[in-house]
């Protein structure tokens, strides 16, 4: 259930029992790693695509030189992101691409025209119990909830003999980049 209160993490066996009984709550969505070049006109995007496809410039160098997006400083890299995190036109295009592919038709969005390069894809996966357990052991978690793939953690801390609590959010899609 959304917002369901989960077991007290000080009792790790309860966390494991909950994890095993609710595998659907511990899933990472499909994600991609992509780069882009953003320009104002379709014509300009096509000119840049021609430079890249003919080998005159690498995608990264073209992004640094031509893109109006701040990501241009990183060769157009947008890093990892999941479905629904980008505007719909961009999102649809990038998730339909093959790894290493560059769009030969610019993608129009409210921001302008994009040439997109798909660097890598990660399929949807289950978050291993060891990651969930380690998070609780390391962070001194008192309680947690899972809602829409986001883990809300209540951390208890002892400061000068007083117990304090703070909240942190973890998106399972991006909590561990190496998986």
């Amino acid at each position: 259930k959304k917002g369901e209160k989960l077991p007290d993490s000080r009792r790790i066996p309860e966390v494991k029992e909950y994890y095993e009984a609710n595998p659907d709550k511990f899933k990472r969505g499909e994600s991609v790693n992509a780069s882009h070049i953003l320009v104002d006109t379709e014509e300009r995007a096509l000119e840049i695509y021609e430079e890249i496809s003919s080998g005159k410039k690498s995608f990264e160098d073209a992004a640094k030189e031509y893109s109006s997006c701040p990501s241009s400083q990183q060769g157009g890299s947008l890093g990892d992101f999941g479905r629904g995190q980008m505007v719909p036109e961009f999102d649809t295009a990038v998730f339909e691409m093959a790894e290493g592919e560059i769009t030969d038709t610019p993608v129009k969005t409210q921001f302008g025209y994009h040439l997109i390069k798909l660097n890598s894809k990660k399929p949807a996966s289950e978050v291993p119990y060891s990651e969930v357990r380690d998070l609780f052991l390391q962070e001194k978690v008192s309680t947690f909830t899972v809602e829409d793939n986001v883990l809300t953690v209540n951390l208890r801390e002892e400061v000068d003999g007083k117990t304090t609590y703070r909240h942190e959010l973890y998106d399972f899609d991006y909590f561990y980049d190496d998986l």
Side-chain angles (χ1 to χ4, degrees):
K1 295 175 191 170
K2 264 189 168 181
E4 176 181 358
K5 185 166 169 102
L6 304 183
D8 188 324
S9 66
R10 288 170 288 191
R11 295 187 297 273
I12 293 297
E14 286 185 23
V15 174
K16 182 161 179 70
E17 182 180 308
Y18 185 88
Y19 175 87
E20 290 173 348
N22 298 280
D24 57 312
K25 295 187 184 223
F26 297 95
K27 298 222 183 273
R28 279 190 190 97
E30 176 184 21
S31 66
V32 294
N33 181 293
S35 302
H36 80 135
I37 299 170
L38 175 63
V39 294
D40 291 335
T41 68
E42 184 175 20
E43 294 75 24
R44 186 67 181 130
L46 291 169
E47 290 169 4
I48 295 166
Y49 177 77
E50 186 56 39
E51 284 188 43
I52 295 166
S53 63
S54 70
K56 288 182 183 175
K57 283 198 187 302
S58 70
F59 189 93
E60 293 72 21
D61 287 343
K64 287 177 183 176
E65 186 172 337
Y66 304 123
S67 184
S68 62
C69 181
S71 67
S72 64
Q73 300 304 308
Q74 293 79 41
S77 177
L78 296 170
D80 293 339
F81 54 92
R83 280 193 187 272
Q85 289 193 274
M86 298 294 176
V87 292
E89 304 88 349
F90 192 102
D91 195 71
T92 299
V94 76
F95 278 93
E96 289 178 359
M97 295 172 66
E99 286 188 9
E101 182 180 355
I102 297 173
T103 52
D104 56 358
T105 303
V107 176
K108 184 179 184 340
T109 71
Q110 67 199 48
F111 302 107
Y113 292 84
H114 306 259
L115 291 176
I116 304 169
K117 178 181 178 184
L118 179 60
N119 301 315
S120 64
K121 276 188 178 184
K122 293 180 189 174
S125 64
E126 183 177 304
V127 178
Y129 172 70
S130 61
E131 289 180 22
V132 175
R133 182 201 63 222
D134 290 350
L135 173 68
F136 285 93
L137 292 174
Q138 293 168 10
E139 297 284 353
K140 301 178 183 175
V141 175
S142 63
T143 59
F144 65 104
T145 58
V146 177
E147 186 173 320
D148 295 332
N149 208 38
V150 175
L151 174 70
T152 303
V153 179
N154 298 315
L155 302 167
R156 66 177 185 287
E157 299 176 310
E158 296 287 331
V159 179
D160 296 328
K162 294 181 181 176
T163 302
T164 61
Y165 293 89
R166 63 186 168 92
H167 305 286
E168 290 191 7
L169 299 177
Y170 299 94
D171 185 330
F172 279 130
D173 285 336
Y174 305 101
F175 189 61
Y176 287 90
D177 290 335
D178 58 333
L179 296 176

